[in-house]
Structures are given as structure tokens and as C-alpha cells.
Amino acid sequence: MQTIDFFDPALLNKYNINGPRYTSYPTALEFNSDVSDATLLTAAQTSPAQNLSLYVHIPFCHSLCYYCGCNKVVTRHAEKADRYLDYLSKEITLRAAAFGHYNVSQLHLGGGSPSFLSPDQHRRLMALLRDAFTFSEEAECSIEIDPRTVDTDYISELAAIGYRRISIGVQDTDFNVQQAINRIQSTSHIAGLVEHAREVGFASVNLDLIYGLPHQTEETFKTTLAAVKAMDPERVSLFSYAHLPERFAAQRKIKEQWLPSAELKLALMKQAMSTLSEVGYELIGMDHFAKADDELAIAQRSGTLHRNFQGYTTRGDLDLLGLGVSSISAVYNMYGQNPKTLNDYYAALDEPANLTTKGVLLNRDDMLRRQVIMELMCNLNLAIRDIESEWDIDFNAYFADAISALDPFIDDGLVSITAQHIKVAPKARLLIRIISMSFDAYLAKQVHQRRYSRVI
């Protein structure tokens, strides 16, 4: 059993500032219009990677969850998904011409809600992908679902199509909380879906939880955690609710006075982490939990954990191709994003025009800092000599400003530096975003921090 070392709340409060989640470096706020489909093609042709991760964004949802900050289209019209698949077919054909030399090792459907698609629509999408790309025999196919809109037959259909990992949004089981976020759902129904998923061949179930939601208390969250424990998922994602009503209009329906105080929110986080660790889950990175025999836990213990736009992963050797509206690709030395609205996405494929509307081409410094930040974010440890050898630099000279910025963390016992390593203390895991910011050349300008969420 892993013991979570909760340190002095004063330290958490001291460093609880706004900061990136570093699913990429540079972050999406640095994206510009200087990239194009040609940039993406060049990156694919020059990349040393041979394997590919596909991400397909399904933007549709049947109803609006007030907390959500995802790119989504709320609709009850199922036929909109047929039109969307028509355009996805065009994009898949376009991208397959540039990415046909890769082997697909991973496929993930996110949203929105991929469970908006009917089984027939899912079969059509999978056929499009498998006809256009070469899938390895061991390809890992995963999908996110909204449990309110599916039954056990639907889960069986997904298994028959080839999905083996499933992520289910629980968030909170308390009715008052669910009512405030406009997401009322049955806990027993979710438990039935989890049980059935295992029966039909799903190898891994992930449950999403959020702390900091309106009306949450330690007593109500205890019930939520007990329900999760009973369902016994392989993984749990534990996210902090970021209340940013100025950015997400739906969040304006959540009144400030409904939200937990900063002290209560911290207590909810501690409660969740303590409960999950007590029943055998290991904290992965900063916000995921996995059983000790899960590949994420094994990768973390061996120092081979990686991170990308989909979160933590065991595969650092994959390029990522994003398909669908607003999807982001991460291919070798560039990030590229599709249009963010359906109309713009459809228009770009009708003309055809440039589909990569935003992104960034990484220079040598970006790629070096990306490696440093991701090593810290994933493994809490950086082998200085390895970086020096790979990049032909004097680490202390190159990162003099960053090392100086680490002084407060060193003074507080959160970080240690030797000639060989930079090590982040296990108790500082929750502050790894803030520690990693020391190496972020873009944040030195201090112009974006207000647009990020707080750590806790």
C-alpha cells in the first residue's frame, strides 16, 4: 500500500498558484497560425517514430454539464453525427496519405461524448480507421462514455467492435451535487456498466472523479469514494474543478457560494487521495490513480512514464494524430490543431483548405525544455548527465535561470539538486506543475498565468 505524505497546508497554499498542466510544451496558449498541413506532413516524414496514437474527437453531448470546459456541441439530433462522420471520412483519407507508413498502436475516442454515436455509427467509424491505417495486432483501443446514455447492450457492442479500455464519468454520486452541475445519474446503473464491461472483455475501467464541485462535503464525498471502491476500477482520475466562468459560459450557472472553501477543497483532495491509497491504488503523476499491477503504476516505478494531450501514458515512442474538430496532433517537432468549430472544420474539408489552423513548430530549445519538463512531470527525477550528453550542453549554464528559480522549493525541502540529478520529493508531487514552470521559457513573460487553473 502506497502512503501519501500530505505536507503542511501552508506550503500548499504558498504554491497554489495558476499554472499549466503540461500536457504539452510549449502549451496550447503559444499556438499560432504559422503552421499548416505542410508543416504536419514534414513532421511526419522526418519523425523517427514508427508507431502512431490516434485520437478522434466526438464533440456531441445529449445535455450540458455545467462544470465542463471541453469542446462540445449539445444536441438531441442523432443525425448530426452522420454528417460529422462524413467529414471525418474525408479527413481520415487526407491524413492516411501522410501517415500511412506508421503502425497504429493506440486509438482513443474522447469528447464531448463518444457514446453519442450509435453502435452502427461506431462500426462505421472503426471501419473507416482500419481501412485507412495499419493497426498493429496489439493496438489498444479506448473510449470515454457518458453512463447516462448507454446500457449493457451498448457496452457489449463496443467490446465487439474492439474496445478494451473504457473511461466512465462519475464525478460525484451525491444528488445535490449532481443537480447543481446538471448531471443526474444512477450509481447502481454505473456499477452495472462496470461489471458488464468486465464480463464482455474490457481489460481496464477508469472512473473520473472531480473534487471542488458545488455542495460537496467530506461526508457526501465519502459516499462517492465508497461507491468507487465497491466498483473496483483499474484506474481512477481525480480532477480539481477549475471555476472559470469568464471562459466557460455554462459555469456561470454554478453560484460561487455553492462552491467549497479553499480549506474544504483541500480536505476533499486529501480525503480522496488517502482513501484511494488505503485500498491499494498508487498515485500516478499528479491526478491519476492505478492499481499496483497496472501498466501505468509499473511505468512510474521504472521511470518510464510519459505524458501527452491525453494525459499519462506508457508509450513515449508514439506520435499523436488528432482527428476531428478541435483535435490536436503532436508529431515529432510540431503541434497542430484542427478548426475549433464544426462550421470551420466542415468548410476546411469542403474547399479543401488548410485543416491545420493553429499550432507551433518547436525549435531546439523547445524540444530540450519539453524533455526536461516531461521528465519532471512524469518521474519526479531528472538525470542531468543524460540531458547534457544527449543535447551537448552544460546543464547548469544553460538552465542557470531555471535552477535559480528552484531555490524556494529547495529551501522548503521539496526539491534537491546534485551534480547528477534534480529530484522532486514525493511530498511535492501535487506541486509538480509549479516546480516544472521554472523551466518554462514562455512563462518568464508572466502573460498567460491568469489563464491557467490553480493547482489545488
Side-chain angles (χ1 to χ4, degrees), residues 236-282:
V236 177
S237 300
L238 178 68
F239 298 119
S240 168
Y241 170 60
H243 191 59
L244 302 169
E246 67 280 2
R247 288 183 57 190
F248 305 115
Q251 292 188 358
R252 296 168 198 162
K253 296 181 179 292
I254 297 176
K255 296 181 180 179
E256 296 272 357
Q257 60 267 31
W258 295 351
L259 297 174
S261 65
E263 293 75 18
L264 177 54
K265 189 175 182 184
L266 176 59
L268 292 169
M269 179 198 70
K270 286 185 175 183
Q271 179 185 18
M273 291 187 167
S274 295
T275 300
L276 292 170
S277 64
E278 286 169 2
V279 294
Y281 290 93
E282 295 187 10

Side-chain angles (χ1 to χ4, degrees), residues 2-106:
Q2 183 187 34
T3 300
I4 303 297
D5 182 6
F6 293 117
F7 53 93
D8 189 344
L11 278 178
L12 277 179
N13 291 329
K14 175 180 179 179
Y15 293 112
N16 189 21
I17 62 175
N18 295 351
R21 299 189 65 81
Y22 289 120
T23 52
S24 72
Y25 179 86
T27 70
L29 290 183
E30 305 303 331
F31 286 9
N32 55 62
S33 58
D34 295 338
V35 298
S36 65
D37 286 351
T39 318
L40 183 63
L41 174 60
T42 300
Q45 291 174 335
T46 57
S47 173
Q50 298 178 331
N51 296 298
L52 190 66
S53 176
L54 291 177
Y55 171 76
V56 184
H57 190 76
I58 308 298
F60 305 107
C61 294
H62 286 99
S63 62
L64 179 65
C65 300
Y66 296 156
Y67 62 84
C68 183
C70 298
N71 185 291
K72 58 194 174 295
V73 176
V74 179
T75 180
R76 292 285 182 176
H77 299 288
E79 66 274 11
K80 289 189 175 183
D82 287 319
R83 186 186 185 203
Y84 186 67
L85 290 176
D86 290 340
Y87 281 89
L88 267 178
S89 177
K90 293 183 179 183
E91 184 186 5
I92 289 167
T93 301
L94 174 69
R95 295 306 191 211
F99 288 83
H101 61 287
Y102 287 86
N103 287 317
V104 175
S105 298
Q106 290 180 340

